[in-house]
Amino acid sequence: MTPTHNSRRRWLLAAAGAAAASALPGVSLGQGPTALRIGYQKSSTLMILLKSRQTLETALAPRGVAVQWYEFTSGLPLLEALNLGNIDLSADVADAVPPFALAAGASLTYCATETPSPQAQAIVVRADSPIREVAQLKGQRVAFAKGAGAHYLVLEALARAGLSIRDIEPAYLSPADARAAFERGSVAAWVIWDPFLAAVQRQSNARVLRDGEGLSSYRRFYLAATPFARTHAEVLEVVFDALRDAGDWVKRNPAEAARWHAPLIGLDAATVEAANARRSYAVRTVDAAALAEQQRIADAFAVQGILPRKVAVSASPVWRKA
């Protein structure tokens, strides 16, 4: 799940005091990788699938690598742990998360991305709302998580409609609080991502006003601690291949995948299947287009004063499959 603004602030503060942080338990890598420590969230579909099947344990055992798993509640604490050397690899995080980590001075390597899923986040209104186009949001109260990918989608959608963030009344709310505000009518619109998007569509009959098509690609990124990526590229290649195969399986078996994942995230299988249908799950190496959009997100947030400083995404290493 995308973290709230408060967790972003905690991440920036924690990164500044990185040396004081305590390490997660784990086996020292020593001269060669004896442990691969992976951080994940409940939304990390592909990594959780690999974990449940022990795919990586089986593939890496002949190399003498043991896999260790650590669950996080949101993306920024996960990347904080990665930067501190407490884990080696991060499961997917949303596209707005890496710029915050980089702005805090994190040394991260882009390992993989899922191809764009622009329909997996959207601006929604209630079914009976008179609002039919983004321009009609002028003067309205709009809910979204500050600094999330939804925030970037708002900026892009407003700009396309000839408006700016100053033309609306932002309500910076967590998904749970935003949904409550949306359903009681105290906000005119809500900008949200899947599976929350699928849930509010199915359960509250929300109507999509504008999704990310042509505005925000909504890529998911997998990152590694740069020292690990430099010295253990062969381990990352095993993980990459396993993730790619897992993504292919989810898309080929949508009903089975949804039934498997639904209990883990507390949603019904039909809602999970609807959300999964909008997400590509196509794992690829990180290309120039993906990095260019990372830079656009970073620049947009820097202009808004959400990032503490400008970020040069091109300065971050990118792992390439051999």
Side-chain angles (χ1 to χ4, degrees), residues 94-152:
D95 51 8
V97 177
F100 281 90
L102 296 176
S107 177
L108 306 175
T109 293
Y110 285 88
C111 292
T113 184
E114 292 176 17
T115 58
S117 303
Q119 296 178 338
Q121 61 178 356
I123 304 170
V124 297
V125 296
R126 289 177 297 281
D128 60 354
S129 172
I131 297 173
R132 296 287 170 179
E133 56 186 34
V134 174
Q136 292 176 284
L137 293 176
K138 185 173 183 179
Q140 301 290 330
R141 192 164 184 250
V142 180
F144 53 91
K146 189 173 186 178
H151 193 159
Y152 179 68

Side-chain angles (χ1 to χ4, degrees), residues 33-118:
T34 57
L36 170 63
R37 301 164 298 172
I38 301 174
Y40 69 98
Q41 305 168 71
K42 281 188 170 62
S43 59
S44 304
T45 308
L46 302 187
M47 276 297 191
I48 293 176
L49 180 61
L50 298 183
K51 180 176 183 290
S52 68
R53 294 177 169 179
Q54 295 195 310
T55 304
L56 295 178
E57 286 83 346
T58 301
L60 290 171
R63 299 174 181 265
V65 180
V67 182
Q68 299 171 357
W69 300 90
Y70 300 98
E71 184 175 343
F72 290 78
T73 56
S74 58
L76 281 169
L78 198 166
L79 293 194
E80 176 190 356
L82 193 68
N83 184 49
L84 297 177
N86 295 338
I87 60 173
D88 307 306
L89 182 66
S90 162
D92 56 295
V93 294
D95 51 8
V97 177
F100 281 90
L102 296 176
S107 177
L108 306 175
T109 293
Y110 285 88
C111 292
T113 184
E114 292 176 17
T115 58
S117 303

Side-chain angles (χ1 to χ4, degrees), residues 160-243:
R160 188 69 60 90
L163 303 175
S164 76
I165 198 75
R166 294 184 296 275
D167 292 308
I168 65 169
E169 182 185 345
Y172 299 127
L173 299 171
S174 68
D177 291 339
R179 176 160 177 173
F182 178 79
E183 291 181 339
R184 68 174 175 262
S186 62
V187 296
W190 180 24
V191 194
I192 192 57
W193 56 91
D194 275 323
F196 301 109
L197 173 58
V200 77
Q201 284 181 288
R202 289 177 51 81
Q203 298 163 8
S204 301
N205 202 27
R207 170 166 52 86
V208 171
L209 181 67
R210 182 72 161 90
D211 62 26
E213 195 69 52
L215 298 175
S216 175
S217 297
Y218 192 67
R219 291 174 170 90
R220 309 283 299 186
F221 288 92
Y222 298 80
L223 300 105
T226 294
F228 186 90
R230 286 174 177 164
T231 54
H232 304 304
E234 74 287 351
V235 174
L236 296 182
E237 184 149 357
V238 171
V239 176
F240 178 89
D241 289 342
L243 286 169

